[in-house]
Amino acid sequence: GAQLCLVKNCTADHDRHGFVVNGQTPGPNVFTEGSQEHCYSDIGPHTRFATCCLYDHVSTDGTANARDRGSSGFGHGWAGANMVFWNCKAKSFIIQNVWDVAKNYMIGCEGKNLGTGGKNRPEGVILSHGKNVEPLSLYQYQLQQRKAAGIKAVPEECYK
């Protein structure tokens, strides 16, 4: 049930699912400027319809994905919806849309696009594959825009 989580400048080494959100995580959540090496598994939403997570300028030597995991594990199903991979780098990507319900995005990312991973699922929105886009960090850009407008990321009542 995590919301409003920011994971920034973190590294993961010899891990399994280094940067993930789990089932029914409502978001929004952000992983930014992170790196994963010697991974044993992928990054991205993991189980049962996590929503609204930004993977911003994150790199992994494994796979990054937002997809239907079907009956893998203990019946993971659709792992995530409304996920954005922005200027990420991975060995490979599997980005699927959740039919007409939601979209998943891969924008400005580097790595092999495995399409739908061989599944009969709609491919996600893929823009500028293999070439980073501006701004380099969507999180930093949006943060600067909010600060310039005097908007706090979290309303005052949340601090009480």
Side-chain angles (χ1 to χ4, degrees):
Q3 281 186 292
L4 303 172
C5 296
L6 172 62
V7 179
K8 185 176 180 183
N9 297 326
C10 287
T11 59
D13 191 14
H14 291 90
D15 68 340
R16 186 170 185 270
H17 300 305
F19 299 103
V20 299
V21 288
N22 267 322
Q24 300 174 6
T25 302
N29 295 299
V30 176
F31 293 94
T32 185
E33 302 294 330
S35 65
Q36 175 187 35
E37 294 181 353
H38 310 105
C39 65
Y40 302 130
S41 199
D42 55 2
I43 66 170
H46 188 60
T47 63
R48 297 190 178 101
F49 225 79
T51 59
C52 302
C53 188
L54 171 62
Y55 291 84
D56 178 57
H57 207 245
V58 173
S59 67
T60 178
D61 57 4
T63 299
N65 68 60
R67 63 187 177 98
D68 180 0
R69 292 177 177 273
S71 61
S72 66
F74 48 91
H76 291 1
W78 277 101
N82 301 318
M83 301 288 157
V84 176
F85 291 87
W86 183 274
N87 286 339
C88 292
K89 184 184 253 184
K91 179 179 176 182
S92 58
F93 290 86
I94 299 173
I95 308 296
Q96 300 170 346
N97 278 342
V98 187
W99 305 111
D100 292 331
V101 176
K103 304 246 186 255
N104 290 310
Y105 300 84
M106 182 177 90
I107 303 169
C109 296
E110 297 177 40
K112 186 174 182 178
N113 178 9
L114 298 178
T116 63
K119 302 270 186 174
N120 182 22
R121 302 289 183 264
E123 186 171 31
V125 178
I126 314 295
L127 301 171
S128 191
H129 180 225
K131 186 174 188 305
N132 287 162
V133 296
E134 293 293 327
L136 189 58
S137 169
L138 183 59
Y139 166 76
Q140 287 296 330
Y141 175 77
Q142 290 178 336
L143 178 63
Q144 290 169 354
Q145 294 298 306
R146 284 194 309 269
K147 285 181 176 181
I151 300 169
K152 293 191 179 217
V154 179
E156 287 292 325
E157 57 268 17
C158 293
Y159 292 113
K160 297 178 182 176

